[in-house]
Amino acid sequence: MKNITRENLTDTVKSSFSQIDGERQRHLVNRLVHHLHAFASETGLSHDEWREGIAFLHRMAEISSPSRSEFTLLSDVLGLSSLVDLLAARPGATEGSVLGPFHTRGSPWVDNGSNLIKDNPGEAVLIRGRVSDTEGQALPKATIDFWQNADNGMYWQMDDSQPQDNLRCQIQVQADGSFELATIRPRPYLVPTDGPVGELLRLSHRDAWRPAHYHIIVEAPGHRSLITEVFDAADPWLDKDAVFGVRASLVCDFQPASDAATAARLGLPAQYLAVELPIRLARED
Ligand code: BEZ
Ligand code: FE
Protein backbone atom coordinates (compact mmCIF):
# COMPACT_ATOMS: atom_id res chain seq x y z
CA MET A 1 0.00 0.00 0.00
CA LYS A 2 1.22 3.44 -0.87
CA ASN A 3 0.27 6.08 1.67
CA ILE A 4 -0.70 9.11 -0.44
CA THR A 5 0.35 12.34 1.24
CA ARG A 6 0.44 16.02 0.32
CA GLU A 7 4.19 15.53 -0.23
CA ASN A 8 4.10 12.51 -2.56
CA LEU A 9 0.80 13.00 -4.42
CA THR A 10 2.08 15.03 -7.39
CA ASP A 11 5.01 12.69 -8.11
CA THR A 12 2.77 9.65 -7.69
CA VAL A 13 0.29 11.01 -10.24
CA LYS A 14 3.13 11.90 -12.62
CA SER A 15 4.58 8.41 -12.45
CA SER A 16 1.13 6.90 -13.11
CA PHE A 17 1.43 8.45 -16.59
CA SER A 18 5.04 7.43 -17.18
CA GLN A 19 4.08 4.56 -19.51
CA ILE A 20 2.58 6.79 -22.20
CA ASP A 21 4.29 5.62 -25.39
CA GLY A 22 5.00 8.88 -27.22
CA GLU A 23 7.85 10.87 -25.62
CA ARG A 24 6.23 14.22 -26.42
CA GLN A 25 2.77 13.17 -25.13
CA ARG A 26 4.38 11.78 -21.97
CA HIS A 27 6.15 15.08 -21.43
CA LEU A 28 2.97 17.13 -22.04
CA VAL A 29 0.90 15.08 -19.57
CA ASN A 30 3.68 15.21 -16.98
CA ARG A 31 3.87 19.02 -17.24
CA LEU A 32 0.07 19.34 -17.22
CA VAL A 33 -0.12 17.44 -13.92
CA HIS A 34 2.77 19.48 -12.55
CA HIS A 35 1.18 22.85 -13.36
CA LEU A 36 -2.38 21.84 -12.36
CA HIS A 37 -1.16 20.69 -8.97
CA ALA A 38 1.01 23.80 -8.60
CA PHE A 39 -2.04 25.98 -9.41
CA ALA A 40 -4.18 24.28 -6.75
CA SER A 41 -1.39 24.39 -4.16
CA GLU A 42 -0.41 27.99 -4.84
CA THR A 43 -4.01 29.23 -4.66
CA GLY A 44 -5.07 26.91 -1.83
CA LEU A 45 -8.01 25.83 -4.03
CA SER A 46 -11.07 25.08 -1.86
CA HIS A 47 -13.73 22.42 -2.45
CA ASP A 48 -16.29 25.09 -3.36
CA GLU A 49 -13.94 26.68 -5.87
CA TRP A 50 -13.04 23.31 -7.38
CA ARG A 51 -16.77 22.47 -7.72
CA GLU A 52 -17.44 25.85 -9.32
CA GLY A 53 -14.67 25.20 -11.83
CA ILE A 54 -16.06 21.77 -12.71
CA ALA A 55 -19.60 23.23 -13.09
CA PHE A 56 -18.16 25.89 -15.42
CA LEU A 57 -16.62 23.16 -17.60
CA HIS A 58 -19.99 21.32 -17.63
CA ARG A 59 -21.75 24.47 -18.86
CA MET A 60 -19.04 24.86 -21.54
CA ALA A 61 -19.70 21.31 -22.75
CA GLU A 62 -23.48 21.82 -22.75
CA ILE A 63 -23.37 24.85 -25.04
CA SER A 64 -20.74 23.36 -27.37
CA SER A 65 -21.78 21.66 -30.62
CA PRO A 66 -20.10 20.72 -33.90
CA SER A 67 -20.56 24.33 -35.02
CA ARG A 68 -19.71 26.00 -31.71
CA SER A 69 -16.69 25.26 -29.55
CA GLU A 70 -16.92 27.13 -26.26
CA PHE A 71 -13.59 25.49 -25.37
CA THR A 72 -11.81 27.18 -28.27
CA LEU A 73 -13.43 30.47 -27.27
CA LEU A 74 -12.19 30.00 -23.70
CA SER A 75 -8.68 29.33 -25.04
CA ASP A 76 -9.03 32.51 -27.13
CA VAL A 77 -10.13 34.83 -24.29
CA LEU A 78 -7.48 33.37 -21.96
CA GLY A 79 -4.83 34.23 -24.57
CA LEU A 80 -3.81 30.58 -24.91
CA SER A 81 -4.63 30.47 -28.63
CA SER A 82 -2.51 33.57 -29.19
CA LEU A 83 0.34 32.15 -27.13
CA VAL A 84 0.36 29.00 -29.27
CA ASP A 85 0.38 31.21 -32.40
CA LEU A 86 3.27 33.28 -31.05
CA LEU A 87 5.24 30.14 -30.11
CA ALA A 88 4.86 28.93 -33.71
CA ALA A 89 6.37 32.14 -35.15
CA ARG A 90 9.42 31.83 -37.42
CA PRO A 91 11.91 34.64 -38.13
CA GLY A 92 11.09 36.54 -41.31
CA ALA A 93 7.68 34.91 -41.74
CA THR A 94 4.34 36.72 -41.49
CA GLU A 95 2.97 36.45 -37.97
CA GLY A 96 0.04 34.16 -37.25
CA SER A 97 -3.20 35.06 -35.50
CA VAL A 98 -6.29 33.27 -34.24
CA LEU A 99 -8.34 31.04 -36.55
CA GLY A 100 -11.66 31.83 -34.87
CA PRO A 101 -14.80 29.71 -35.17
CA PHE A 102 -16.05 30.87 -38.57
CA HIS A 103 -13.66 29.09 -40.90
CA THR A 104 -15.28 26.36 -42.94
CA ARG A 105 -13.42 24.03 -45.26
CA GLY A 106 -14.34 23.99 -48.93
CA SER A 107 -15.01 27.67 -49.64
CA PRO A 108 -15.63 28.27 -53.36
CA TRP A 109 -12.53 28.57 -55.56
CA VAL A 110 -12.59 31.83 -57.50
CA ASP A 111 -10.28 33.29 -60.15
CA ASN A 112 -7.60 35.69 -59.13
CA GLY A 113 -9.04 39.22 -59.43
CA SER A 114 -12.56 38.16 -58.45
CA ASN A 115 -15.08 40.45 -56.85
CA LEU A 116 -16.83 39.11 -53.72
CA ILE A 117 -18.98 42.19 -53.13
CA LYS A 118 -22.11 41.10 -55.04
CA ASP A 119 -25.12 42.44 -53.05
CA ASN A 120 -23.14 43.31 -49.93
CA PRO A 121 -23.42 46.87 -48.64
CA GLY A 122 -20.21 48.40 -47.31
CA GLU A 123 -17.08 50.24 -48.40
CA ALA A 124 -15.40 48.63 -51.42
CA VAL A 125 -11.83 47.40 -50.86
CA LEU A 126 -9.14 46.15 -53.22
CA ILE A 127 -6.84 43.63 -51.53
CA ARG A 128 -3.52 43.17 -53.31
CA GLY A 129 -1.02 40.68 -51.99
CA ARG A 130 2.05 38.68 -52.84
CA VAL A 131 3.09 35.38 -51.30
CA SER A 132 6.82 34.73 -51.00
CA ASP A 133 9.28 32.79 -48.86
CA THR A 134 11.22 34.53 -46.12
CA GLU A 135 13.87 35.63 -48.69
CA GLY A 136 11.23 37.29 -50.87
CA GLN A 137 11.19 34.52 -53.54
CA ALA A 138 7.69 34.19 -55.03
CA LEU A 139 5.70 31.04 -54.17
CA PRO A 140 3.63 30.49 -57.33
CA LYS A 141 1.89 27.40 -55.99
CA ALA A 142 0.50 29.20 -52.93
CA THR A 143 -3.22 29.19 -52.21
CA ILE A 144 -5.24 31.66 -50.16
CA ASP A 145 -8.32 30.78 -48.13
CA PHE A 146 -10.12 34.03 -47.26
CA TRP A 147 -13.14 34.87 -45.06
CA GLN A 148 -14.59 37.94 -43.38
CA ASN A 149 -17.78 39.31 -41.86
CA ALA A 150 -20.42 41.39 -43.64
CA ASP A 151 -21.16 45.08 -43.12
CA ASN A 152 -23.58 44.21 -40.27
CA GLY A 153 -20.66 42.60 -38.40
CA MET A 154 -21.93 39.05 -38.90
CA TYR A 155 -20.40 36.05 -40.65
CA TRP A 156 -22.77 34.24 -42.99
CA GLN A 157 -23.17 31.35 -40.51
CA MET A 158 -24.68 33.77 -37.95
CA ASP A 159 -27.08 35.53 -40.29
CA ASP A 160 -29.95 34.03 -42.32
CA SER A 161 -30.07 37.12 -44.54
CA GLN A 162 -26.67 36.27 -46.09
CA PRO A 163 -26.21 33.65 -48.81
CA GLN A 164 -24.07 30.62 -47.97
CA ASP A 165 -20.34 31.33 -48.39
CA ASN A 166 -20.91 35.09 -48.51
CA LEU A 167 -17.55 36.95 -48.49
CA ARG A 168 -15.31 33.90 -48.51
CA CYS A 169 -13.30 32.16 -51.18
CA GLN A 170 -10.13 30.31 -52.09
CA ILE A 171 -7.67 31.63 -54.67
CA GLN A 172 -4.60 30.24 -56.41
CA VAL A 173 -1.92 32.96 -56.65
CA GLN A 174 -0.34 34.05 -59.96
CA ALA A 175 3.08 32.88 -61.24
CA ASP A 176 4.73 35.84 -59.46
CA GLY A 177 2.97 34.99 -56.17
CA SER A 178 0.55 37.91 -56.48
CA PHE A 179 -3.20 37.95 -55.99
CA GLU A 180 -6.03 40.49 -56.08
CA LEU A 181 -9.48 40.43 -54.62
CA ALA A 182 -12.31 42.97 -54.47
CA THR A 183 -14.35 42.88 -51.28
CA ILE A 184 -15.77 45.13 -48.57
CA ARG A 185 -14.25 46.65 -45.47
CA PRO A 186 -14.62 44.27 -42.50
CA ARG A 187 -16.42 45.42 -39.35
CA PRO A 188 -15.74 45.02 -35.63
CA TYR A 189 -18.00 42.51 -33.90
CA LEU A 190 -18.71 40.80 -30.58
CA VAL A 191 -17.52 37.29 -29.74
CA PRO A 192 -20.40 35.09 -28.47
CA THR A 193 -21.30 36.04 -24.88
CA ASP A 194 -24.36 33.86 -24.29
CA GLY A 195 -22.28 31.03 -22.76
CA PRO A 196 -19.87 30.52 -19.84
CA VAL A 197 -17.14 32.51 -21.60
CA GLY A 198 -19.53 35.46 -21.65
CA GLU A 199 -19.99 34.99 -17.86
CA LEU A 200 -16.22 35.15 -17.46
CA LEU A 201 -15.94 38.32 -19.59
CA ARG A 202 -18.71 40.04 -17.62
CA LEU A 203 -17.17 38.96 -14.31
CA SER A 204 -13.91 40.53 -15.46
CA HIS A 205 -15.58 43.72 -16.79
CA ARG A 206 -13.97 42.88 -20.12
CA ASP A 207 -15.21 43.91 -23.56
CA ALA A 208 -16.22 41.22 -26.04
CA TRP A 209 -15.29 43.22 -29.16
CA ARG A 210 -12.90 42.07 -31.85
CA PRO A 211 -11.44 44.79 -34.09
CA ALA A 212 -12.35 44.54 -37.79
CA HIS A 213 -10.24 41.98 -39.63
CA TYR A 214 -9.91 39.68 -42.59
CA HIS A 215 -8.96 36.05 -42.00
CA ILE A 216 -6.56 34.24 -44.31
CA ILE A 217 -4.93 30.84 -44.45
CA VAL A 218 -1.97 30.67 -46.82
CA GLU A 219 -0.51 27.35 -47.90
CA ALA A 220 2.34 26.48 -50.27
CA PRO A 221 4.14 23.16 -50.79
CA GLY A 222 7.28 22.79 -48.64
CA HIS A 223 6.28 25.73 -46.42
CA ARG A 224 4.61 26.13 -43.07
CA SER A 225 0.92 26.94 -43.42
CA LEU A 226 0.00 30.33 -42.09
CA ILE A 227 -3.26 31.12 -40.31
CA THR A 228 -3.49 34.83 -39.79
CA GLU A 229 -5.58 37.98 -39.80
CA VAL A 230 -5.32 41.46 -41.31
CA PHE A 231 -6.57 44.32 -39.15
CA ASP A 232 -7.94 47.71 -40.13
CA ALA A 233 -5.61 50.41 -38.73
CA ALA A 234 -8.61 52.75 -38.26
CA ASP A 235 -10.49 50.36 -35.95
CA PRO A 236 -11.23 51.71 -32.42
CA TRP A 237 -10.94 48.23 -30.81
CA LEU A 238 -7.34 47.46 -31.88
CA ASP A 239 -6.08 47.90 -28.29
CA LYS A 240 -8.85 45.81 -26.74
CA ASP A 241 -9.22 42.70 -28.89
CA ALA A 242 -11.15 40.18 -26.74
CA VAL A 243 -8.94 37.37 -28.06
CA PHE A 244 -5.53 39.12 -28.19
CA GLY A 245 -5.02 38.52 -31.93
CA VAL A 246 -3.62 41.93 -32.90
CA ARG A 247 0.06 42.14 -33.94
CA ALA A 248 1.48 45.47 -35.13
CA SER A 249 2.77 43.77 -38.28
CA LEU A 250 -0.78 42.67 -39.21
CA VAL A 251 -2.37 46.13 -38.95
CA CYS A 252 -2.89 47.69 -42.39
CA ASP A 253 -3.92 51.11 -43.65
CA PHE A 254 -6.97 51.06 -45.89
CA GLN A 255 -5.83 53.76 -48.34
CA PRO A 256 -8.29 55.71 -50.51
CA ALA A 257 -7.68 54.83 -54.19
CA SER A 258 -9.30 55.65 -57.52
CA ASP A 259 -7.35 54.04 -60.36
CA ALA A 260 -9.91 53.83 -63.17
CA ALA A 261 -8.37 50.84 -64.97
CA THR A 262 -8.11 48.81 -61.74
CA ALA A 263 -11.66 49.74 -60.76
CA ALA A 264 -12.97 48.65 -64.18
CA ARG A 265 -10.97 45.40 -64.14
CA LEU A 266 -12.24 44.31 -60.69
CA GLY A 267 -15.73 45.83 -60.89
CA LEU A 268 -14.99 48.33 -58.12
CA PRO A 269 -16.63 51.76 -57.78
CA ALA A 270 -14.55 54.76 -58.92
CA GLN A 271 -13.54 55.49 -55.31
CA TYR A 272 -12.42 52.50 -53.27
CA LEU A 273 -9.97 51.56 -50.51
CA ALA A 274 -6.77 49.63 -51.16
CA VAL A 275 -4.86 47.29 -48.83
CA GLU A 276 -1.43 45.77 -49.51
CA LEU A 277 -0.65 42.32 -48.06
CA PRO A 278 2.89 41.05 -48.34
CA ILE A 279 2.84 37.46 -47.02
CA ARG A 280 5.99 35.55 -46.21
CA LEU A 281 5.97 31.83 -45.42
CA ALA A 282 8.72 29.98 -43.55
CA ARG A 283 10.11 26.72 -44.89
CA GLU A 284 8.83 23.53 -43.27
CA ASP A 285 11.11 22.54 -40.35
C1 BEZ B 1 -13.19 35.51 -35.14
O1 BEZ B 1 -12.27 36.20 -35.49
O2 BEZ B 1 -14.02 35.25 -35.97
C2 BEZ B 1 -13.24 35.02 -33.74
C3 BEZ B 1 -12.07 34.67 -33.11
C4 BEZ B 1 -12.10 34.19 -31.83
C5 BEZ B 1 -13.31 34.06 -31.17
C6 BEZ B 1 -14.49 34.43 -31.79
C7 BEZ B 1 -14.47 34.91 -33.08
FE1 FE C 1 -13.19 36.81 -37.34
Side-chain angles (χ1 to χ4, degrees), residues 155 189 213 215:
Y155 288 85
Y189 71 98
H213 56 273
H215 289 275

Side-chain angles (χ1 to χ4, degrees), residues 9 66 68 79 90 102 107-108 200 203 216 226 238 244 250 267:
L9 172 66
R68 172 166 185 180
R90 294 292 180 278
F102 298 109
S107 286
L200 182 62
L203 196 71
I216 50 174
L226 173 71
L238 280 176
F244 310 100
L250 302 178

Side-chain angles (χ1 to χ4, degrees), residues 88-96 130-137 139 223-224 226 249 278-283:
R90 294 292 180 278
T94 299
E95 291 187 278
R130 180 171 177 272
V131 184
S132 70
D133 65 15
T134 52
E135 274 79 49
Q137 205 68 41
L139 295 175
H223 291 77
R224 289 172 68 90
L226 173 71
S249 68
I279 296 163
R280 291 182 174 232
L281 300 187
R283 282 198 168 282

Side-chain angles (χ1 to χ4, degrees), residues 99-102 147-149 155 189 210 213-215 229:
L99 174 67
F102 298 109
W147 69 106
Q148 69 166 101
N149 61 3
Y155 288 85
Y189 71 98
R210 291 223 63 209
H213 56 273
Y214 296 127
H215 289 275
E229 300 181 279

Side-chain angles (χ1 to χ4, degrees), residues 115 259-270 272:
N115 187 322
D259 182 69
T262 306
R265 190 158 43 81
L266 281 106
L268 285 159
Y272 57 92

Side-chain angles (χ1 to χ4, degrees), residues 88-111:
R90 294 292 180 278
T94 299
E95 291 187 278
S97 184
V98 292
L99 174 67
F102 298 109
H103 177 249
T104 38
R105 292 192 175 278
S107 286
W109 284 94
V110 300
D111 290 336

Side-chain angles (χ1 to χ4, degrees), residues 19 25 83 123 190 210 224 235 266 273 279-280:
Q19 301 305 312
Q25 283 157 302
L83 179 56
E123 290 178 84
L190 293 159
R210 291 223 63 209
R224 289 172 68 90
D235 193 282
L266 281 106
L273 298 166
I279 296 163
R280 291 182 174 232

